Amino acid sequence: MAEKNTANIGFEKQIWDAACVLRGNMDASEYKNVVLGLIFLKYISDRFDDKYQELLAEGDGFQEDRDEYTSEGIFFVPAGARWCEIAAKAHTPEIGTVIDDAMRAIEKENKRLKDILPKNFARPELDKRRLGDVVDLFTNIQMIEHGSEKDILGRTYEYCLSMFAEQEGKRGGEFFTPSCVVRTLVEVLQPFKGRVYDPCCGTGGMFVQSAKFVENHSGNISNISIYGQDSNPTTWKMAQMNLAIRGIEPDLGAYAADTFLDDRHPTLRADFVMANEAVICGLTPEKACNIKEFAA
């Protein structure tokens, strides 16, 4: 494992640029699962470790008590799946298997993450030397000067999503709406409280911006409830991870599904509907009750 240094990688673009150096010939559509999966794993592991050290210092022996973490909205990361253990094996031939096993162990301990995390790091076509280098990259990130880790990792996740969408061209629009468009929608709708619904939510950008809007206007994020769905299973999983990093608990349905063919919220009476496509026009009158709507 590379020694943890004191250099601040910091800003999202710097992290993206560093990660791209390690990409090699892998397609953007494949590489995004590597980078975004590791960002998520680093985030939940670091959050867990902060609480672990706090409990350890208290000296009551509760540092392995799952309830101590889940009661504060922190994902429980079992031994063997923690970042320090993954980082220690970054440059071993089995690093892909180590990460896959960590993802499975975390899903087992946290029902919200069941069948959501990527578990294809052991595949033969993924260069394990480069994978180890990406692990080192995130191990070495020092973000103290750039805000809270939750904020910087959330911004990094979102920035990487936008860059992968750009690299994938037209197809990228299927999972990512430009932030400027999303901010416009949110500023028009002003979702201070109530049920916010996105029938084609992509990776959850509308919900992230809604939460930011509430926080920036001194509102209470607990006053809004998030609902949505997406037909692409990979995109649906990325949305779950994106929102988890932001501390947002959504209802995106039990699985990925097309809104028209398999509505996962048939009885929902939403207060706000946001969509970047004309899909909003297909909503039932019942669901559109009391909606302020705006479609890009």
Side-chain angles (χ1 to χ4, degrees):
M1 182 186 73
E3 182 180 354
K4 190 167 184 178
N5 60 44
T6 56
N8 288 309
I9 295 179
F11 298 112
E12 302 94 311
K13 185 178 184 302
Q14 290 175 287
I15 296 174
W16 167 258
D17 288 345
C20 279
V21 171
L22 306 174
R23 174 176 155 187
N25 296 321
M26 187 178 293
D27 291 339
S29 59
E30 289 288 324
Y31 192 55
K32 71 171 179 280
N33 290 321
V34 174
V35 171
L36 298 176
L38 288 177
I39 289 175
F40 183 80
L41 185 57
K42 178 69 159 60
Y43 165 74
I44 63 172
S45 186
D46 284 1
R47 282 266 287 160
F48 171 87
D49 189 60
D50 285 345
K51 182 63 178 177
Y52 183 94
Q53 296 303 325
E54 178 185 318
L55 293 171
L56 192 63
E58 291 176 359
D60 296 325
F62 294 136
Q63 60 268 20
E64 294 291 346
D65 187 336
R66 184 178 176 277
D67 291 341
E68 292 288 337
Y69 300 89
T70 56
S71 64
E72 297 185 18
I74 299 171
F75 292 111
F76 182 79
V77 182
R82 295 163 192 172
W83 189 267
C84 60
E85 299 170 70
I86 292 167
K89 299 176 182 176
H91 294 287
T92 63
E94 63 271 16
I95 180 59
T97 301
V98 169
I99 295 173
D100 285 345
D101 289 345
M103 295 293 192
R104 293 188 183 94
I106 290 169
E107 285 188 342
K108 185 176 180 180
E109 293 287 347
N110 302 275
K111 291 182 179 180
R112 180 184 166 187
L113 300 178
K114 180 175 172 55
D115 298 329
I116 288 174
L117 304 185
K119 297 175 284 292
N120 56 357
F121 290 86
R123 64 189 189 275
E125 60 269 26
L126 179 55
D127 187 315
K128 301 306 180 289
R129 179 185 61 81
R130 292 183 184 275
L131 176 58
D133 288 341
V134 177
V135 171
D136 281 349
L137 169 65
F138 291 112
T139 299
N140 290 334
I141 291 175
Q142 299 291 302
M143 298 170 289
I144 296 172
E145 295 181 4
H146 304 291
S148 70
E149 183 149 341
K150 172 182 173 180
D151 181 59
I152 196 66
L153 278 177
R155 285 162 44 197
T156 300
Y157 192 99
E158 193 171 4
Y159 183 84
C160 288
L161 276 174
S162 71
M163 296 305 293
F164 281 123
E166 181 178 304
Q167 291 198 356
E168 291 188 45
K170 185 178 179 180
R171 284 189 63 251
E174 296 175 4
F175 66 85
F176 186 83
T177 303
S179 297
C180 57
V181 174
V182 177
R183 283 196 300 271
T184 299
L185 293 174
V186 173
E187 291 291 337
V188 169
L189 291 174
Q190 301 183 4
F192 279 112
K193 59 186 297 186
R195 294 173 292 275
V196 179
Y197 174 63
D198 185 343
C200 48
C201 69
T203 53
M206 298 283 191
F207 304 139
V208 171
Q209 289 295 334
S210 295
K212 286 182 182 177
F213 177 85
V214 171
E215 292 172 352
N216 291 340
H217 291 79
S218 301
N220 189 336
I221 191 64
S222 63
N223 288 335
I224 64 171
S225 300
I226 300 299
Y227 299 88
Q229 68 183 84
D230 197 90
S231 61
N232 185 296
T234 299
T235 301
W236 181 83
K237 292 176 183 178
M238 287 193 293
Q240 297 278 14
M241 290 189 290
N242 188 21
L243 296 173
I245 283 180
R246 295 291 187 171
I248 300 171
E249 294 196 29
D251 181 348
L252 304 185
Y255 51 83
D258 186 294
T259 306
F260 290 124
L261 302 178
D262 185 7
D263 187 352
R264 303 311 303 158
H265 307 287
T267 62
L268 175 66
R269 296 168 67 87
D271 299 293
F272 302 93
V273 172
M274 306 182 202
N276 70 339
E277 299 178 18
V279 68
I280 197 171
C281 299
L283 295 173
T284 62
E286 292 78 12
K287 184 170 291 188
C289 180
N290 296 323
I291 292 174
K292 298 178 181 178
E293 60 184 54
F294 186 94

PDB file of all heavy atoms in Angstrom, residues 182 186 196-213 221 224-229 239 243 246 248 250-252 272 274:
ATOM      1  N   VAL A 182     -30.805  21.216 -13.753  1.00  0.00           N
ATOM      2  CA  VAL A 182     -31.405  20.750 -12.498  1.00  0.00           C
ATOM      3  C   VAL A 182     -31.612  21.907 -11.531  1.00  0.00           C
ATOM      4  O   VAL A 182     -32.668  22.039 -10.899  1.00  0.00           O
ATOM      5  CB  VAL A 182     -30.523  19.664 -11.850  1.00  0.00           C
ATOM      6  CG1 VAL A 182     -31.119  19.230 -10.513  1.00  0.00           C
ATOM      7  CG2 VAL A 182     -30.384  18.469 -12.772  1.00  0.00           C
ATOM      8  N   VAL A 186     -35.188  23.234  -9.787  1.00  0.00           N
ATOM      9  CA  VAL A 186     -35.368  23.312  -8.336  1.00  0.00           C
ATOM     10  C   VAL A 186     -35.671  24.735  -7.894  1.00  0.00           C
ATOM     11  O   VAL A 186     -36.533  24.963  -7.040  1.00  0.00           O
ATOM     12  CB  VAL A 186     -34.120  22.757  -7.609  1.00  0.00           C
ATOM     13  CG1 VAL A 186     -34.221  22.997  -6.113  1.00  0.00           C
ATOM     14  CG2 VAL A 186     -33.964  21.272  -7.896  1.00  0.00           C
ATOM     15  N   VAL A 196     -41.453  14.932  -3.114  1.00  0.00           N
ATOM     16  CA  VAL A 196     -40.773  15.272  -4.362  1.00  0.00           C
ATOM     17  C   VAL A 196     -40.623  14.004  -5.189  1.00  0.00           C
ATOM     18  O   VAL A 196     -40.097  13.003  -4.706  1.00  0.00           O
ATOM     19  CB  VAL A 196     -39.387  15.895  -4.082  1.00  0.00           C
ATOM     20  CG1 VAL A 196     -38.686  16.228  -5.394  1.00  0.00           C
ATOM     21  CG2 VAL A 196     -39.525  17.151  -3.225  1.00  0.00           C
ATOM     22  N   TYR A 197     -41.065  14.061  -6.441  1.00  0.00           N
ATOM     23  CA  TYR A 197     -41.100  12.858  -7.280  1.00  0.00           C
ATOM     24  C   TYR A 197     -40.420  13.108  -8.624  1.00  0.00           C
ATOM     25  O   TYR A 197     -40.642  14.139  -9.267  1.00  0.00           O
ATOM     26  CB  TYR A 197     -42.565  12.458  -7.501  1.00  0.00           C
ATOM     27  CG  TYR A 197     -42.780  11.303  -8.464  1.00  0.00           C
ATOM     28  CD1 TYR A 197     -42.289  10.035  -8.179  1.00  0.00           C
ATOM     29  CD2 TYR A 197     -43.489  11.489  -9.653  1.00  0.00           C
ATOM     30  CE1 TYR A 197     -42.494   8.969  -9.056  1.00  0.00           C
ATOM     31  CE2 TYR A 197     -43.717  10.434 -10.532  1.00  0.00           C
ATOM     32  CZ  TYR A 197     -43.210   9.177 -10.226  1.00  0.00           C
ATOM     33  OH  TYR A 197     -43.415   8.129 -11.086  1.00  0.00           O
ATOM     34  N   ASP A 198     -39.575  12.166  -9.029  1.00  0.00           N
ATOM     35  CA  ASP A 198     -38.953  12.211 -10.349  1.00  0.00           C
ATOM     36  C   ASP A 198     -39.214  10.858 -11.013  1.00  0.00           C
ATOM     37  O   ASP A 198     -38.664   9.845 -10.594  1.00  0.00           O
ATOM     38  CB  ASP A 198     -37.442  12.471 -10.236  1.00  0.00           C
ATOM     39  CG  ASP A 198     -36.771  12.644 -11.599  1.00  0.00           C
ATOM     40  OD1 ASP A 198     -37.376  12.252 -12.612  1.00  0.00           O
ATOM     41  OD2 ASP A 198     -35.634  13.158 -11.638  1.00  0.00           O
ATOM     42  N   PRO A 199     -40.055  10.811 -12.041  1.00  0.00           N
ATOM     43  CA  PRO A 199     -40.434   9.544 -12.670  1.00  0.00           C
ATOM     44  C   PRO A 199     -39.334   8.923 -13.520  1.00  0.00           C
ATOM     45  O   PRO A 199     -39.458   7.767 -13.935  1.00  0.00           O
ATOM     46  CB  PRO A 199     -41.640   9.935 -13.536  1.00  0.00           C
ATOM     47  CG  PRO A 199     -41.405  11.374 -13.852  1.00  0.00           C
ATOM     48  CD  PRO A 199     -40.769  11.962 -12.630  1.00  0.00           C
ATOM     49  N   CYS A 200     -38.273   9.667 -13.814  1.00  0.00           N
ATOM     50  CA  CYS A 200     -37.123   9.116 -14.551  1.00  0.00           C
ATOM     51  C   CYS A 200     -35.881   9.728 -13.911  1.00  0.00           C
ATOM     52  O   CYS A 200     -35.232  10.588 -14.491  1.00  0.00           O
ATOM     53  CB  CYS A 200     -37.207   9.412 -16.037  1.00  0.00           C
ATOM     54  SG  CYS A 200     -37.576  11.134 -16.446  1.00  0.00           S
ATOM     55  N   CYS A 201     -35.578   9.284 -12.705  1.00  0.00           N
ATOM     56  CA  CYS A 201     -34.665  10.011 -11.813  1.00  0.00           C
ATOM     57  C   CYS A 201     -33.192   9.900 -12.164  1.00  0.00           C
ATOM     58  O   CYS A 201     -32.363  10.607 -11.576  1.00  0.00           O
ATOM     59  CB  CYS A 201     -34.885   9.572 -10.367  1.00  0.00           C
ATOM     60  SG  CYS A 201     -34.375   7.882 -10.006  1.00  0.00           S
ATOM     61  N   GLY A 202     -32.820   9.026 -13.112  1.00  0.00           N
ATOM     62  CA  GLY A 202     -31.399   8.907 -13.437  1.00  0.00           C
ATOM     63  C   GLY A 202     -30.594   8.569 -12.197  1.00  0.00           C
ATOM     64  O   GLY A 202     -30.949   7.685 -11.430  1.00  0.00           O
ATOM     65  N   THR A 203     -29.527   9.321 -11.964  1.00  0.00           N
ATOM     66  CA  THR A 203     -28.673   9.069 -10.801  1.00  0.00           C
ATOM     67  C   THR A 203     -29.038   9.938  -9.597  1.00  0.00           C
ATOM     68  O   THR A 203     -28.278  10.023  -8.644  1.00  0.00           O
ATOM     69  CB  THR A 203     -27.199   9.276 -11.160  1.00  0.00           C
ATOM     70  OG1 THR A 203     -27.027  10.566 -11.747  1.00  0.00           O
ATOM     71  CG2 THR A 203     -26.723   8.206 -12.122  1.00  0.00           C
ATOM     72  N   GLY A 204     -30.207  10.575  -9.643  1.00  0.00           N
ATOM     73  CA  GLY A 204     -30.713  11.279  -8.466  1.00  0.00           C
ATOM     74  C   GLY A 204     -30.317  12.738  -8.339  1.00  0.00           C
ATOM     75  O   GLY A 204     -30.446  13.318  -7.267  1.00  0.00           O
ATOM     76  N   GLY A 205     -29.850  13.357  -9.422  1.00  0.00           N
ATOM     77  CA  GLY A 205     -29.406  14.751  -9.360  1.00  0.00           C
ATOM     78  C   GLY A 205     -30.498  15.716  -8.923  1.00  0.00           C
ATOM     79  O   GLY A 205     -30.225  16.679  -8.207  1.00  0.00           O
ATOM     80  N   MET A 206     -31.734  15.475  -9.354  1.00  0.00           N
ATOM     81  CA  MET A 206     -32.843  16.343  -8.955  1.00  0.00           C
ATOM     82  C   MET A 206     -33.016  16.341  -7.440  1.00  0.00           C
ATOM     83  O   MET A 206     -33.260  17.381  -6.820  1.00  0.00           O
ATOM     84  CB  MET A 206     -34.144  15.871  -9.607  1.00  0.00           C
ATOM     85  CG  MET A 206     -34.156  15.896 -11.119  1.00  0.00           C
ATOM     86  SD  MET A 206     -34.383  17.541 -11.811  1.00  0.00           S
ATOM     87  CE  MET A 206     -34.678  17.106 -13.527  1.00  0.00           C
ATOM     88  N   PHE A 207     -32.872  15.185  -6.841  1.00  0.00           N
ATOM     89  CA  PHE A 207     -33.058  15.062  -5.398  1.00  0.00           C
ATOM     90  C   PHE A 207     -31.920  15.717  -4.629  1.00  0.00           C
ATOM     91  O   PHE A 207     -32.140  16.355  -3.600  1.00  0.00           O
ATOM     92  CB  PHE A 207     -33.167  13.583  -5.017  1.00  0.00           C
ATOM     93  CG  PHE A 207     -34.258  12.843  -5.743  1.00  0.00           C
ATOM     94  CD1 PHE A 207     -34.047  11.555  -6.212  1.00  0.00           C
ATOM     95  CD2 PHE A 207     -35.498  13.426  -5.960  1.00  0.00           C
ATOM     96  CE1 PHE A 207     -35.047  10.862  -6.882  1.00  0.00           C
ATOM     97  CE2 PHE A 207     -36.507  12.746  -6.624  1.00  0.00           C
ATOM     98  CZ  PHE A 207     -36.279  11.460  -7.088  1.00  0.00           C
ATOM     99  N   VAL A 208     -30.695  15.561  -5.129  1.00  0.00           N
ATOM    100  CA  VAL A 208     -29.538  16.199  -4.487  1.00  0.00           C
ATOM    101  C   VAL A 208     -29.701  17.714  -4.495  1.00  0.00           C
ATOM    102  O   VAL A 208     -29.485  18.378  -3.477  1.00  0.00           O
ATOM    103  CB  VAL A 208     -28.223  15.796  -5.197  1.00  0.00           C
ATOM    104  CG1 VAL A 208     -27.055  16.627  -4.678  1.00  0.00           C
ATOM    105  CG2 VAL A 208     -27.939  14.312  -4.998  1.00  0.00           C
ATOM    106  N   GLN A 209     -30.107  18.260  -5.640  1.00  0.00           N
ATOM    107  CA  GLN A 209     -30.279  19.712  -5.732  1.00  0.00           C
ATOM    108  C   GLN A 209     -31.445  20.193  -4.872  1.00  0.00           C
ATOM    109  O   GLN A 209     -31.395  21.293  -4.308  1.00  0.00           O
ATOM    110  CB  GLN A 209     -30.503  20.121  -7.192  1.00  0.00           C
ATOM    111  CG  GLN A 209     -29.270  20.007  -8.068  1.00  0.00           C
ATOM    112  CD  GLN A 209     -28.169  20.968  -7.657  1.00  0.00           C
ATOM    113  OE1 GLN A 209     -28.421  22.012  -7.073  1.00  0.00           O
ATOM    114  NE2 GLN A 209     -26.925  20.608  -7.943  1.00  0.00           N
ATOM    115  N   SER A 210     -32.489  19.376  -4.743  1.00  0.00           N
ATOM    116  CA  SER A 210     -33.612  19.752  -3.875  1.00  0.00           C
ATOM    117  C   SER A 210     -33.158  19.848  -2.427  1.00  0.00           C
ATOM    118  O   SER A 210     -33.516  20.785  -1.702  1.00  0.00           O
ATOM    119  CB  SER A 210     -34.743  18.714  -4.000  1.00  0.00           C
ATOM    120  OG  SER A 210     -35.287  18.711  -5.290  1.00  0.00           O
ATOM    121  N   ALA A 211     -32.344  18.875  -2.004  1.00  0.00           N
ATOM    122  CA  ALA A 211     -31.823  18.897  -0.642  1.00  0.00           C
ATOM    123  C   ALA A 211     -30.924  20.108  -0.427  1.00  0.00           C
ATOM    124  O   ALA A 211     -30.976  20.765   0.619  1.00  0.00           O
ATOM    125  CB  ALA A 211     -31.061  17.609  -0.359  1.00  0.00           C
ATOM    126  N   LYS A 212     -30.090  20.423  -1.423  1.00  0.00           N
ATOM    127  CA  LYS A 212     -29.218  21.595  -1.324  1.00  0.00           C
ATOM    128  C   LYS A 212     -30.045  22.869  -1.214  1.00  0.00           C
ATOM    129  O   LYS A 212     -29.713  23.782  -0.446  1.00  0.00           O
ATOM    130  CB  LYS A 212     -28.315  21.688  -2.562  1.00  0.00           C
ATOM    131  CG  LYS A 212     -27.181  20.688  -2.611  1.00  0.00           C
ATOM    132  CD  LYS A 212     -26.356  20.927  -3.864  1.00  0.00           C
ATOM    133  CE  LYS A 212     -25.222  19.934  -3.996  1.00  0.00           C
ATOM    134  NZ  LYS A 212     -24.465  20.137  -5.266  1.00  0.00           N
ATOM    135  N   PHE A 213     -31.129  22.945  -1.993  1.00  0.00           N
ATOM    136  CA  PHE A 213     -31.984  24.131  -1.962  1.00  0.00           C
ATOM    137  C   PHE A 213     -32.567  24.340  -0.578  1.00  0.00           C
ATOM    138  O   PHE A 213     -32.551  25.450  -0.039  1.00  0.00           O
ATOM    139  CB  PHE A 213     -33.115  23.976  -2.989  1.00  0.00           C
ATOM    140  CG  PHE A 213     -34.096  25.125  -2.984  1.00  0.00           C
ATOM    141  CD1 PHE A 213     -33.839  26.275  -3.716  1.00  0.00           C
ATOM    142  CD2 PHE A 213     -35.262  25.054  -2.240  1.00  0.00           C
ATOM    143  CE1 PHE A 213     -34.734  27.341  -3.706  1.00  0.00           C
ATOM    144  CE2 PHE A 213     -36.161  26.103  -2.222  1.00  0.00           C
ATOM    145  CZ  PHE A 213     -35.897  27.256  -2.959  1.00  0.00           C
ATOM    146  N   ILE A 221     -34.314  19.477   5.991  1.00  0.00           N
ATOM    147  CA  ILE A 221     -34.337  18.460   4.962  1.00  0.00           C
ATOM    148  C   ILE A 221     -35.333  17.344   5.282  1.00  0.00           C
ATOM    149  O   ILE A 221     -35.845  16.666   4.394  1.00  0.00           O
ATOM    150  CB  ILE A 221     -32.920  17.863   4.771  1.00  0.00           C
ATOM    151  CG1 ILE A 221     -32.867  16.996   3.507  1.00  0.00           C
ATOM    152  CG2 ILE A 221     -32.501  17.055   5.976  1.00  0.00           C
ATOM    153  CD1 ILE A 221     -33.104  17.754   2.250  1.00  0.00           C
ATOM    154  N   ILE A 224     -38.924  17.137   3.476  1.00  0.00           N
ATOM    155  CA  ILE A 224     -39.228  16.652   2.139  1.00  0.00           C
ATOM    156  C   ILE A 224     -39.010  15.140   2.089  1.00  0.00           C
ATOM    157  O   ILE A 224     -38.137  14.598   2.759  1.00  0.00           O
ATOM    158  CB  ILE A 224     -38.378  17.344   1.045  1.00  0.00           C
ATOM    159  CG1 ILE A 224     -36.889  17.037   1.214  1.00  0.00           C
ATOM    160  CG2 ILE A 224     -38.640  18.833   1.009  1.00  0.00           C
ATOM    161  CD1 ILE A 224     -36.049  17.526   0.037  1.00  0.00           C
ATOM    162  N   SER A 225     -39.852  14.473   1.313  1.00  0.00           N
ATOM    163  CA  SER A 225     -39.752  13.032   1.092  1.00  0.00           C
ATOM    164  C   SER A 225     -39.455  12.791  -0.382  1.00  0.00           C
ATOM    165  O   SER A 225     -40.040  13.445  -1.252  1.00  0.00           O
ATOM    166  CB  SER A 225     -41.061  12.341   1.483  1.00  0.00           C
ATOM    167  OG  SER A 225     -41.357  12.565   2.848  1.00  0.00           O
ATOM    168  N   ILE A 226     -38.534  11.877  -0.643  1.00  0.00           N
ATOM    169  CA  ILE A 226     -38.046  11.656  -1.994  1.00  0.00           C
ATOM    170  C   ILE A 226     -38.614  10.364  -2.588  1.00  0.00           C
ATOM    171  O   ILE A 226     -38.528   9.297  -1.971  1.00  0.00           O
ATOM    172  CB  ILE A 226     -36.502  11.564  -1.992  1.00  0.00           C
ATOM    173  CG1 ILE A 226     -35.891  12.858  -1.444  1.00  0.00           C
ATOM    174  CG2 ILE A 226     -35.967  11.232  -3.369  1.00  0.00           C
ATOM    175  CD1 ILE A 226     -36.219  14.094  -2.238  1.00  0.00           C
ATOM    176  N   TYR A 227     -39.184  10.480  -3.794  1.00  0.00           N
ATOM    177  CA  TYR A 227     -39.716   9.323  -4.506  1.00  0.00           C
ATOM    178  C   TYR A 227     -39.255   9.370  -5.962  1.00  0.00           C
ATOM    179  O   TYR A 227     -39.142  10.441  -6.550  1.00  0.00           O
ATOM    180  CB  TYR A 227     -41.248   9.313  -4.480  1.00  0.00           C
ATOM    181  CG  TYR A 227     -41.846   9.226  -3.097  1.00  0.00           C
ATOM    182  CD1 TYR A 227     -42.086  10.381  -2.351  1.00  0.00           C
ATOM    183  CD2 TYR A 227     -42.184   7.993  -2.548  1.00  0.00           C
ATOM    184  CE1 TYR A 227     -42.626  10.300  -1.076  1.00  0.00           C
ATOM    185  CE2 TYR A 227     -42.737   7.914  -1.275  1.00  0.00           C
ATOM    186  CZ  TYR A 227     -42.951   9.076  -0.540  1.00  0.00           C
ATOM    187  OH  TYR A 227     -43.489   8.990   0.712  1.00  0.00           O
ATOM    188  N   GLY A 228     -39.006   8.211  -6.524  1.00  0.00           N
ATOM    189  CA  GLY A 228     -38.609   8.175  -7.924  1.00  0.00           C
ATOM    190  C   GLY A 228     -38.394   6.760  -8.392  1.00  0.00           C
ATOM    191  O   GLY A 228     -38.587   5.792  -7.650  1.00  0.00           O
ATOM    192  N   GLN A 229     -37.985   6.637  -9.646  1.00  0.00           N
ATOM    193  CA  GLN A 229     -37.619   5.344 -10.192  1.00  0.00           C
ATOM    194  C   GLN A 229     -36.868   5.567 -11.496  1.00  0.00           C
ATOM    195  O   GLN A 229     -36.877   6.663 -12.069  1.00  0.00           O
ATOM    196  CB  GLN A 229     -38.830   4.447 -10.405  1.00  0.00           C
ATOM    197  CG  GLN A 229     -39.814   4.883 -11.490  1.00  0.00           C
ATOM    198  CD  GLN A 229     -41.008   3.937 -11.558  1.00  0.00           C
ATOM    199  OE1 GLN A 229     -41.960   4.083 -10.810  1.00  0.00           O
ATOM    200  NE2 GLN A 229     -40.953   2.956 -12.469  1.00  0.00           N
ATOM    201  N   ALA A 239     -27.928   5.865  -8.440  1.00  0.00           N
ATOM    202  CA  ALA A 239     -28.760   6.843  -7.736  1.00  0.00           C
ATOM    203  C   ALA A 239     -28.816   6.525  -6.243  1.00  0.00           C
ATOM    204  O   ALA A 239     -28.708   7.418  -5.399  1.00  0.00           O
ATOM    205  CB  ALA A 239     -30.171   6.859  -8.324  1.00  0.00           C
ATOM    206  N   LEU A 243     -27.351   9.177  -3.449  1.00  0.00           N
ATOM    207  CA  LEU A 243     -28.197   9.741  -2.397  1.00  0.00           C
ATOM    208  C   LEU A 243     -27.728   9.310  -1.013  1.00  0.00           C
ATOM    209  O   LEU A 243     -27.829  10.067  -0.051  1.00  0.00           O
ATOM    210  CB  LEU A 243     -29.652   9.335  -2.635  1.00  0.00           C
ATOM    211  CG  LEU A 243     -30.249   9.887  -3.939  1.00  0.00           C
ATOM    212  CD1 LEU A 243     -31.632   9.303  -4.184  1.00  0.00           C
ATOM    213  CD2 LEU A 243     -30.308  11.400  -3.916  1.00  0.00           C
ATOM    214  N   ARG A 246     -25.109  11.495   0.240  1.00  0.00           N
ATOM    215  CA  ARG A 246     -25.667  12.790   0.644  1.00  0.00           C
ATOM    216  C   ARG A 246     -26.526  12.708   1.901  1.00  0.00           C
ATOM    217  O   ARG A 246     -27.052  13.712   2.367  1.00  0.00           O
ATOM    218  CB  ARG A 246     -26.515  13.364  -0.493  1.00  0.00           C
ATOM    219  CG  ARG A 246     -25.719  13.708  -1.736  1.00  0.00           C
ATOM    220  CD  ARG A 246     -24.823  14.885  -1.490  1.00  0.00           C
ATOM    221  NE  ARG A 246     -24.170  15.330  -2.717  1.00  0.00           N
ATOM    222  CZ  ARG A 246     -23.469  16.449  -2.809  1.00  0.00           C
ATOM    223  NH1 ARG A 246     -23.330  17.218  -1.747  1.00  0.00           N
ATOM    224  NH2 ARG A 246     -22.881  16.791  -3.935  1.00  0.00           N
ATOM    225  N   ILE A 248     -29.391  11.174   2.101  1.00  0.00           N
ATOM    226  CA  ILE A 248     -30.794  11.246   1.691  1.00  0.00           C
ATOM    227  C   ILE A 248     -31.356   9.829   1.591  1.00  0.00           C
ATOM    228  O   ILE A 248     -30.775   8.970   0.927  1.00  0.00           O
ATOM    229  CB  ILE A 248     -30.935  11.951   0.326  1.00  0.00           C
ATOM    230  CG1 ILE A 248     -30.374  13.374   0.406  1.00  0.00           C
ATOM    231  CG2 ILE A 248     -32.387  11.973  -0.131  1.00  0.00           C
ATOM    232  CD1 ILE A 248     -30.272  14.065  -0.948  1.00  0.00           C
ATOM    233  N   PRO A 250     -34.199   7.825   0.037  1.00  0.00           N
ATOM    234  CA  PRO A 250     -35.294   7.901  -0.931  1.00  0.00           C
ATOM    235  C   PRO A 250     -36.122   6.626  -0.974  1.00  0.00           C
ATOM    236  O   PRO A 250     -35.740   5.606  -0.421  1.00  0.00           O
ATOM    237  CB  PRO A 250     -34.535   8.068  -2.250  1.00  0.00           C
ATOM    238  CG  PRO A 250     -33.332   7.173  -2.046  1.00  0.00           C
ATOM    239  CD  PRO A 250     -32.969   7.272  -0.561  1.00  0.00           C
ATOM    240  N   ASP A 251     -37.230   6.705  -1.677  1.00  0.00           N
ATOM    241  CA  ASP A 251     -37.979   5.516  -2.058  1.00  0.00           C
ATOM    242  C   ASP A 251     -37.946   5.483  -3.576  1.00  0.00           C
ATOM    243  O   ASP A 251     -38.713   6.181  -4.244  1.00  0.00           O
ATOM    244  CB  ASP A 251     -39.422   5.599  -1.548  1.00  0.00           C
ATOM    245  CG  ASP A 251     -40.232   4.352  -1.908  1.00  0.00           C
ATOM    246  OD1 ASP A 251     -39.750   3.542  -2.725  1.00  0.00           O
ATOM    247  OD2 ASP A 251     -41.351   4.210  -1.379  1.00  0.00           O
ATOM    248  N   LEU A 252     -37.042   4.681  -4.127  1.00  0.00           N
ATOM    249  CA  LEU A 252     -36.902   4.570  -5.580  1.00  0.00           C
ATOM    250  C   LEU A 252     -37.504   3.273  -6.102  1.00  0.00           C
ATOM    251  O   LEU A 252     -37.194   2.835  -7.209  1.00  0.00           O
ATOM    252  CB  LEU A 252     -35.416   4.648  -5.981  1.00  0.00           C
ATOM    253  CG  LEU A 252     -34.649   5.891  -5.518  1.00  0.00           C
ATOM    254  CD1 LEU A 252     -33.236   5.880  -6.092  1.00  0.00           C
ATOM    255  CD2 LEU A 252     -35.377   7.176  -5.891  1.00  0.00           C
ATOM    256  N   PHE A 272     -44.472  17.829  -5.702  1.00  0.00           N
ATOM    257  CA  PHE A 272     -43.586  18.358  -6.729  1.00  0.00           C
ATOM    258  C   PHE A 272     -43.144  17.224  -7.640  1.00  0.00           C
ATOM    259  O   PHE A 272     -42.767  16.149  -7.172  1.00  0.00           O
ATOM    260  CB  PHE A 272     -42.335  18.999  -6.111  1.00  0.00           C
ATOM    261  CG  PHE A 272     -42.635  20.113  -5.145  1.00  0.00           C
ATOM    262  CD1 PHE A 272     -42.749  19.850  -3.781  1.00  0.00           C
ATOM    263  CD2 PHE A 272     -42.808  21.415  -5.595  1.00  0.00           C
ATOM    264  CE1 PHE A 272     -43.025  20.867  -2.886  1.00  0.00           C
ATOM    265  CE2 PHE A 272     -43.089  22.436  -4.709  1.00  0.00           C
ATOM    266  CZ  PHE A 272     -43.195  22.177  -3.349  1.00  0.00           C
ATOM    267  N   MET A 274     -40.466  16.578 -10.839  1.00  0.00           N
ATOM    268  CA  MET A 274     -39.369  17.108 -11.643  1.00  0.00           C
ATOM    269  C   MET A 274     -38.956  16.053 -12.647  1.00  0.00           C
ATOM    270  O   MET A 274     -38.779  14.887 -12.281  1.00  0.00           O
ATOM    271  CB  MET A 274     -38.166  17.455 -10.767  1.00  0.00           C
ATOM    272  CG  MET A 274     -38.486  18.388  -9.634  1.00  0.00           C
ATOM    273  SD  MET A 274     -36.995  18.780  -8.701  1.00  0.00           S
ATOM    274  CE  MET A 274     -37.731  19.269  -7.149  1.00  0.00           C
TER     275      MET A 274
END
